[in-house]
Amino acid sequence: MTVEVIATSGSGCAPGTATVVSNGDDTGFRVRYRDFVAEAGDGAALVDRRKNCQLGVLVTIPDGWTIAIASANYRGRASLRSGATALQRTSYYWQGSSATHRKDATFAGPLNGLWTTWDVAPVLTYAECGSQSVLNVNTELRIDPGTSTGLSTMSMNTTEGDVDTLFNFSLSHC
Protein backbone atom coordinates (compact mmCIF):
# COMPACT_ATOMS: atom_id res chain seq x y z
CA MET A 1 0.00 0.00 0.00
CA THR A 2 1.27 3.47 -0.85
CA VAL A 3 0.15 6.97 0.13
CA GLU A 4 0.94 10.29 -1.53
CA VAL A 5 -0.28 13.88 -1.16
CA ILE A 6 -1.71 14.89 -4.54
CA ALA A 7 -3.46 18.14 -3.57
CA THR A 8 -3.19 20.77 -0.84
CA SER A 9 -5.13 23.93 -0.19
CA GLY A 10 -5.87 26.22 2.69
CA SER A 11 -4.32 28.90 4.85
CA GLY A 12 -2.57 26.32 7.05
CA CYS A 13 -0.67 24.40 4.39
CA ALA A 14 1.12 26.17 1.61
CA PRO A 15 2.31 23.83 -1.17
CA GLY A 16 5.07 21.55 0.09
CA THR A 17 4.34 22.04 3.81
CA ALA A 18 2.25 18.89 4.36
CA THR A 19 3.52 15.39 3.70
CA VAL A 20 2.29 11.83 4.28
CA VAL A 21 4.43 8.92 5.38
CA SER A 22 3.25 5.29 5.33
CA ASN A 23 3.69 3.30 8.53
CA GLY A 24 5.44 0.68 6.38
CA ASP A 25 3.34 -2.18 7.76
CA ASP A 26 0.11 -1.25 5.90
CA THR A 27 -1.62 -0.24 9.15
CA GLY A 28 -1.88 3.46 8.36
CA PHE A 29 -0.01 6.65 7.60
CA ARG A 30 1.10 9.89 9.24
CA VAL A 31 0.38 13.41 8.06
CA ARG A 32 3.19 15.81 8.93
CA TYR A 33 2.64 19.56 8.78
CA ARG A 34 5.04 22.51 8.71
CA ASP A 35 3.87 26.08 9.33
CA PHE A 36 0.33 25.09 10.41
CA VAL A 37 -0.27 27.60 13.23
CA ALA A 38 -3.30 29.61 14.35
CA GLU A 39 -2.82 32.57 16.66
CA ALA A 40 -4.92 35.22 18.34
CA GLY A 41 -4.26 38.14 20.63
CA ASP A 42 -1.45 40.66 20.82
CA GLY A 43 0.06 41.29 17.39
CA ALA A 44 -1.93 38.59 15.58
CA ALA A 45 -3.97 39.48 12.51
CA LEU A 46 -7.68 38.64 12.61
CA VAL A 47 -7.21 36.22 9.67
CA ASP A 48 -4.67 34.19 11.73
CA ARG A 49 -7.34 33.08 14.24
CA ARG A 50 -8.48 30.32 11.87
CA LYS A 51 -6.18 28.15 9.75
CA ASN A 52 -7.17 25.14 7.71
CA CYS A 53 -5.51 22.56 5.51
CA GLN A 54 -7.29 20.33 3.01
CA LEU A 55 -5.29 17.41 1.67
CA GLY A 56 -6.01 14.95 -1.10
CA VAL A 57 -4.15 11.75 -0.21
CA LEU A 58 -3.90 9.13 -2.96
CA VAL A 59 -4.02 5.68 -1.37
CA THR A 60 -3.10 2.74 -3.60
CA ILE A 61 -4.81 -0.41 -2.35
CA PRO A 62 -3.44 -3.84 -3.34
CA ASP A 63 -5.66 -6.15 -5.41
CA GLY A 64 -7.97 -8.22 -3.26
CA TRP A 65 -8.08 -5.71 -0.40
CA THR A 66 -10.05 -2.72 0.77
CA ILE A 67 -9.40 -0.29 3.62
CA ALA A 68 -11.28 2.05 5.92
CA ILE A 69 -10.03 4.63 8.39
CA ALA A 70 -10.53 2.96 11.78
CA SER A 71 -9.07 5.64 14.02
CA ALA A 72 -7.01 8.80 14.02
CA ASN A 73 -4.71 10.43 16.55
CA TYR A 74 -4.14 14.19 16.34
CA ARG A 75 -1.24 15.88 18.10
CA GLY A 76 0.12 19.37 18.32
CA ARG A 77 1.39 22.12 20.56
CA ALA A 78 -0.57 24.95 22.19
CA SER A 79 0.13 28.06 24.18
CA LEU A 80 -3.29 29.31 25.25
CA ARG A 81 -3.58 32.21 27.67
CA SER A 82 -6.12 32.16 30.47
CA GLY A 83 -9.49 33.15 28.96
CA ALA A 84 -8.65 31.89 25.44
CA THR A 85 -10.23 28.82 23.83
CA ALA A 86 -9.24 26.76 20.80
CA LEU A 87 -10.84 24.25 18.45
CA GLN A 88 -9.16 21.49 16.45
CA ARG A 89 -11.51 19.99 13.85
CA THR A 90 -10.78 17.27 11.31
CA SER A 91 -13.11 15.74 8.77
CA TYR A 92 -12.25 13.06 6.25
CA TYR A 93 -13.97 11.06 3.54
CA TRP A 94 -13.19 8.88 0.53
CA GLN A 95 -13.65 10.80 -2.72
CA GLY A 96 -17.00 9.88 -4.24
CA SER A 97 -18.48 8.77 -0.89
CA SER A 98 -21.17 10.72 0.91
CA ALA A 99 -19.99 9.41 4.32
CA THR A 100 -17.94 12.13 6.02
CA HIS A 101 -16.51 11.65 9.49
CA ARG A 102 -15.80 14.73 11.66
CA LYS A 103 -14.04 15.10 15.01
CA ASP A 104 -14.02 18.30 17.08
CA ALA A 105 -11.80 18.85 20.10
CA THR A 106 -11.91 21.97 22.24
CA PHE A 107 -9.27 23.35 24.57
CA ALA A 108 -9.30 26.12 27.17
CA GLY A 109 -6.44 28.21 28.51
CA PRO A 110 -4.30 28.25 30.36
CA LEU A 111 -2.61 25.47 28.40
CA ASN A 112 1.06 25.36 27.50
CA GLY A 113 2.54 22.26 25.87
CA LEU A 114 1.60 19.25 23.78
CA TRP A 115 -2.04 18.28 23.18
CA THR A 116 -3.48 15.08 21.75
CA THR A 117 -6.91 13.78 20.81
CA TRP A 118 -8.06 10.33 19.70
CA ASP A 119 -10.86 9.58 17.27
CA VAL A 120 -12.39 6.16 16.62
CA ALA A 121 -14.67 5.91 13.58
CA PRO A 122 -18.18 4.92 14.67
CA VAL A 123 -18.80 3.26 11.28
CA LEU A 124 -16.13 1.95 8.93
CA THR A 125 -16.46 3.32 5.41
CA TYR A 126 -14.39 1.23 3.01
CA ALA A 127 -12.73 2.39 -0.20
CA GLU A 128 -13.25 0.50 -3.45
CA CYS A 129 -11.50 -2.85 -3.63
CA GLY A 130 -8.04 -3.00 -5.20
CA SER A 131 -7.96 0.53 -6.50
CA GLN A 132 -6.46 3.92 -6.10
CA SER A 133 -8.68 6.02 -3.86
CA VAL A 134 -8.36 9.61 -2.70
CA LEU A 135 -8.87 10.29 0.99
CA ASN A 136 -9.79 13.94 1.54
CA VAL A 137 -8.62 15.25 4.92
CA ASN A 138 -9.65 18.72 6.06
CA THR A 139 -8.14 19.98 9.32
CA GLU A 140 -8.89 23.30 11.01
CA LEU A 141 -7.35 25.13 13.95
CA ARG A 142 -9.29 28.04 15.45
CA ILE A 143 -8.51 30.31 18.44
CA ASP A 144 -10.86 32.69 20.23
CA PRO A 145 -8.88 35.09 22.45
CA GLY A 146 -11.92 35.61 24.70
CA THR A 147 -10.89 37.61 27.77
CA SER A 148 -7.20 36.73 27.48
CA THR A 149 -4.33 39.14 27.18
CA GLY A 150 -1.18 38.34 25.25
CA LEU A 151 -0.70 35.98 22.32
CA SER A 152 -2.24 32.48 22.15
CA THR A 153 -1.13 29.91 19.56
CA MET A 154 -2.07 26.40 18.48
CA SER A 155 -0.12 24.32 15.98
CA MET A 156 0.09 20.99 14.21
CA ASN A 157 3.75 21.44 13.29
CA THR A 158 6.38 18.73 13.12
CA THR A 159 9.19 21.00 14.29
CA GLU A 160 8.54 19.76 17.85
CA GLY A 161 9.48 16.17 16.95
CA ASP A 162 6.65 13.63 16.97
CA VAL A 163 3.78 16.05 16.37
CA ASP A 164 1.56 14.88 13.54
CA THR A 165 -1.69 13.12 12.69
CA LEU A 166 -1.80 9.33 12.58
CA PHE A 167 -4.52 7.57 10.56
CA ASN A 168 -4.99 3.85 11.26
CA PHE A 169 -6.50 1.54 8.64
CA SER A 170 -8.85 -1.38 8.94
CA LEU A 171 -7.97 -3.91 6.22
CA SER A 172 -10.48 -6.32 4.75
CA HIS A 173 -10.43 -8.91 1.96
CA CYS A 174 -12.72 -8.10 -0.96
Side-chain angles (χ1 to χ4, degrees):
M1 188 172 323
T2 62
V3 292
E4 172 189 3
V5 173
I6 59 168
T8 61
S9 65
S11 57
C13 60
T17 63
T19 58
V20 292
V21 178
S22 175
N23 283 0
D25 60 0
D26 290 341
T27 61
F29 66 93
R30 294 180 183 279
V31 178
R32 297 197 170 143
Y33 300 97
R34 289 192 330 267
D35 302 324
F36 192 173
V37 181
E39 58 185 19
D42 291 353
L46 188 58
V47 70
D48 291 332
R49 289 183 180 186
R50 180 188 177 274
K51 297 290 181 168
N52 81 301
C53 179
Q54 181 150 346
L55 300 177
V57 179
L58 180 65
V59 181
T60 303
I61 306 163
D63 286 338
W65 291 92
T66 183
I67 60 170
I69 302 299
S71 64
N73 180 255
Y74 312 102
R75 297 181 283 195
R77 186 173 288 278
S79 177
L80 299 176
R81 301 288 188 138
S82 182
T85 58
L87 168 77
Q88 182 268 323
R89 171 179 289 157
T90 300
S91 61
Y92 50 89
Y93 60 93
W94 293 106
Q95 188 169 328
S97 171
S98 61
T100 299
H101 182 74
R102 186 173 100 180
K103 170 70 174 182
D104 289 359
T106 56
F107 304 87
L111 172 64
N112 191 22
L114 295 175
W115 58 265
T116 186
T117 62
W118 187 258
D119 175 23
V120 176
V123 175
L124 297 178
T125 303
Y126 285 91
E128 284 189 41
C129 287
S131 66
Q132 288 187 326
S133 295
V134 175
L135 180 68
N136 292 298
V137 179
N138 191 0
T139 302
E140 172 184 350
L141 297 176
R142 187 180 298 193
I143 297 180
D144 181 346
T147 61
S148 68
T149 58
L151 182 67
S152 290
T153 63
M154 186 168 190
S155 75
M156 294 188 76
N157 292 343
T158 61
T159 56
E160 290 90 7
D162 63 352
V163 179
D164 55 18
T165 300
L166 172 63
F167 285 94
N168 296 297
F169 294 141
S170 171
L171 294 168
S172 181
H173 285 285
C174 294

